[in-house]
Amino acid sequence: MERALVVGASGGIGAAVAAELERRGYAVLRLSRSQDGLDVTDEDSVAAALEPVEAPFWLVLVATGALVIDGHEPERAVREVTAEGLLNQVRVNALGPILVLKHALRLLPKDRRSAFVALSARVGSISDNGIGGWHSYRTSKAALNQLIRGASIKMKRTHRHAAAVCLHPGTVKTPFTAKYAERHRMVSADEAARNLVNVIESLTPAHSGGFFDSAGNEIPW
């Protein structure tokens, strides 16, 4: 039975994806802050959580992320940007996933298909940004996209059968997005999970380094 590791598995999307993977016959290992004390912004915590995990896993999925941290809401104007708010976004949304990749890369097999997936967001696309705002969140997701893109190039040397990608799940009905429900088309966590797993199962090494939506369409950088 193929195994999948879901980091951030107690969140709305993470839990739904873990459940969907199990419905499709995968053995899923769940890790999260609430259940396991895993703080993805703390490298010692990431290392301690992943060190006892035994390889191999065909999939490592990072479903962690935050839109509002310590009361810092998405900014509508540049004057609302704060150092604390911006840095917190980068720590959670960009630093966290790349630390997981750093310590979980050994879990991916080198001789067969595998995937490392980080949940990003369409608003992290620089060329698709036509309305501005949400400066810190957008920046953190753009940083995540660059980190995974760069890592994918190096991974080709050691994991030539792997795909390292960023996926946009859509705007999902979770506590994460409840406050913004009126502004965007929402999908349920279960629907998002089905769509995401469909895309993940279709990944090949040719997709590595890419940024895709929940229908498998490429999103511009």
Side-chain angles (χ1 to χ4, degrees):
M1 180 182 292
E2 292 278 21
R3 303 163 72 210
L5 170 61
V6 178
V7 177
S10 64
I13 302 176
V17 171
E20 180 64 23
L21 287 165
E22 288 181 333
R23 278 192 288 271
R24 300 193 190 196
Y26 300 105
V28 179
L29 173 60
R30 295 169 168 83
L31 292 176
S32 68
R33 183 167 188 164
S34 62
Q35 299 297 319
D36 307 286
L38 170 57
D39 179 358
V40 295
T41 69
D42 181 338
E43 185 165 5
D44 290 341
S45 178
V46 174
L50 293 176
E51 191 278 331
V53 177
E54 296 184 2
F57 285 82
W58 82 273
L59 169 66
V60 176
L61 169 73
V62 183
T64 57
L67 180 60
V68 178
I69 304 174
D70 294 339
H72 292 279
E73 299 277 349
E75 310 94 346
R76 290 171 294 179
V78 172
R79 64 177 177 274
E80 298 173 3
V81 174
T82 67
E84 180 183 11
L86 174 57
L87 292 174
N88 283 344
Q89 286 288 331
V90 172
R91 289 187 187 100
V92 172
N93 294 324
L95 175 63
I98 199 65
L99 287 178
V100 173
L101 176 56
K102 175 180 177 178
H103 291 276
L105 183 59
R106 67 174 182 82
L107 301 177
L108 299 177
K110 296 182 178 181
D111 60 347
R112 63 183 187 276
R113 172 179 173 262
S114 64
F116 179 89
V117 176
L119 294 190
S120 186
R122 185 180 294 274
V123 296
S125 168
I126 294 174
S127 59
D128 192 49
N129 181 3
I131 61 174
W134 288 38
H135 304 291
S136 296
Y137 184 71
R138 286 182 186 275
T139 297
S140 69
K141 291 300 188 178
L144 169 63
N145 294 346
Q146 180 69 287
L147 287 165
I148 301 305
R149 172 76 173 184
S152 73
I153 296 169
K154 297 295 185 180
M155 284 175 62
K156 291 177 182 178
R157 302 175 184 176
T158 58
H159 294 73
R160 62 188 182 91
H161 303 286
V165 303
C166 293
L167 294 185
H168 168 60
T171 305
V172 183
K173 295 178 183 176
T174 68
F176 184 87
T177 57
K179 187 173 181 178
Y180 307 94
E182 295 181 356
R183 307 179 191 177
H184 305 277
R185 178 185 175 274
M186 308 286 281
V187 298
S188 69
D190 289 342
E191 180 182 352
R194 289 192 296 271
N195 294 338
L196 288 169
V197 176
N198 286 341
V199 175
I200 292 168
E201 288 185 326
S202 71
L203 292 174
T204 71
H207 295 103
S208 196
F211 182 22
F212 305 96
D213 67 17
S214 59
N217 299 312
E218 192 163 10
I219 299 174
W221 296 117

